[in-house]
Amino acid sequence: MLMSKKNNDSNEHSGIGFRGDIQGLRAIAVLAVMIFHANSSWLPAGFIGVDIFFVISGYIISSVLLKEGKALSWSQFYWARVKRIIPVYLVMLSLVCVVSALLLTPVDFSFFKSSLRSALLFVSNQYYAGFGDYFAPGAHELPLLHTWSLAIEMQFYLFLPIIIYYVPRQFLALLLGVLSIAFFTYAEVKLGAADNQRHVYFSLLARVPEFLVGALITVSGVGRSWSPRLSFVVGVMGAALLLFSLVFIDEKNFPGFSSSLPCIAVGMIIASRRGVVNNLLALPLLVTIGALSYSLYLWHWPVLAFMRYYLGQDKLPIVWICSFVLLTYLLAWASYRWVETPLRSRLVKIRRWVVLSAITACMIAISLILNPMIEKPLPREMTRYSPPDQICHGRIIGDCLRGDHEQSQPVLIIGDSHAAQLNEFFDVAGVLGKFSARVITASNCVPIAEFDVERIPDFSRADCRAQIAALKGYIDNAKVIVIAAMWQWHVPSKDFMAALADFLDTAAQRDVKVIVLAQVPMFNTNLVRVKRFAALGLPVSITENSEWAGANQKVSELANRYRGVQFLDFSRSEFFRDAPFVQGQLIYMDDSHLNELGARQYGLFAVPFLKAALAATSE
């Protein structure tokens, strides 16, 4: 993104002269993004800082193109974009790749490699639009997530020059205005479609009108002949609208028509050119931050992502926030001083580019070799809870049966991934206990009627709805149903608790026996990651999560209200006495899910209790 300019940058190639207020807008944009990413409650709509950058980019690039006119050199235009964006971008990717190779577990590093490939090709927005895996690192732990905006900007540069170069000047403003309205409308319509918000958020077409607003300011020449009084009024109104946007816009309904508000606000400030708002934005401190804004943007997110990955939590303690600010500034200043500025010069020699490219390639290659060398890889059965292509998790595969297949009338097992982790459990317990179990599950979802699907991550919703539909016939014919879930995730939802109560009530009326399994103990840190951190010599600690036991209690109280419903709780049993270990072996694959080894051992432990519970249901 064109976020960074030197303090004395005259916006060469743009023909608009140096404007300190635009540098100040860049500072506001990057600070808003950094504050939002550090803690979203501090600035609820700080994410619109990216949209501020898009408007500024549209304004600057269209100024370049209009200045050159028919004399435009396509090679020089794109070479200028490359010099501004690529050098520090490659340095960031190289360093992030090395840190990822050291810090990330092999499974997590496999996700990183895919994101790195998309970042190098500037298609990150498409990659993250389709990204969704329950056991992938969380979004706040993906070190290259922020590259989606760079991808959109580079893609936008492919067609804006064509529009401005080939469309007659007298029709250009009208065309850009019509296209802006059309694409804002497109984003709003797409946003209204079910489970589509994430795809719209990362969509080039949904972001195009933000660039076009900036381009429209340039092409129309609005503001150039305004009086000082009118410039003052428009600038103040633009600042007020921008402040409103930063506080009140809801990310869940963004982009779309709501994204037009900050774009119009930024357009008003750019158009006003002079006045108290523009003078404030041109203050030296903001101009200095604006000069560093591109480097600040590139470095801030990986720093936060790695901190969160190591700590295993989204909200960072204040000492880590302070470290984040300091480290981000130092990295940004260094990259701006020694990479961004030198390689942007017209006099830079080609050998510097060759050296930079070679260093980047070598660091990436070394990282790919380094990651599996940090520690001996864990056996596969300790990194997953069951072969993903053999279980009915999010889809139906075969008959979904576990345990003793010769037994008729299988027990129906439903729930989210905390039920899916019991596939191996019911294989062992079913064979020894002489019963069969049909296990049908979905990520983040307890597939029962009236489940509040809209609450869960959008990548889980389609599978959740599919499993709810698939289970209807099985539930109608079941005599015994077992429900397992990560209760601490679901209990806070009043809608879910109401749906669960309705389900249990209906089962009681139909004389269907229901066994509700307690959630297994949960921890504050991914336990496989802790093992890697220890191998690196980093300080580690294992602490139990404080919420799961209370959630178990609430579900137990609900279950006890209904006839024929039994709450079965092994979470405080002898089996979990030394959790996350059993006889010195790690039985968890992350902070809350058992691995295959743990699930089998858990099944061996639970057999007599399950046999007793099932025998009671048949009486």
Side-chain angles (χ1 to χ4, degrees), residues 438-455:
R438 177 171 281 115
V439 186
I440 301 178
T441 58
S443 292
N444 297 298
C445 164
V446 179
I448 57 177
E450 308 304 322
F451 178 81
D452 49 336
V453 179
E454 296 305 318
R455 169 174 58 90

Side-chain angles (χ1 to χ4, degrees), residues 68 169 226 268 277 325 360 362 374 449 471 492 592:
E68 297 296 330
R169 181 68 182 272
W226 286 353
M268 292 170 70
V277 171
V325 173
T360 300
C362 288
I374 301 299
L471 270 165
S592 62

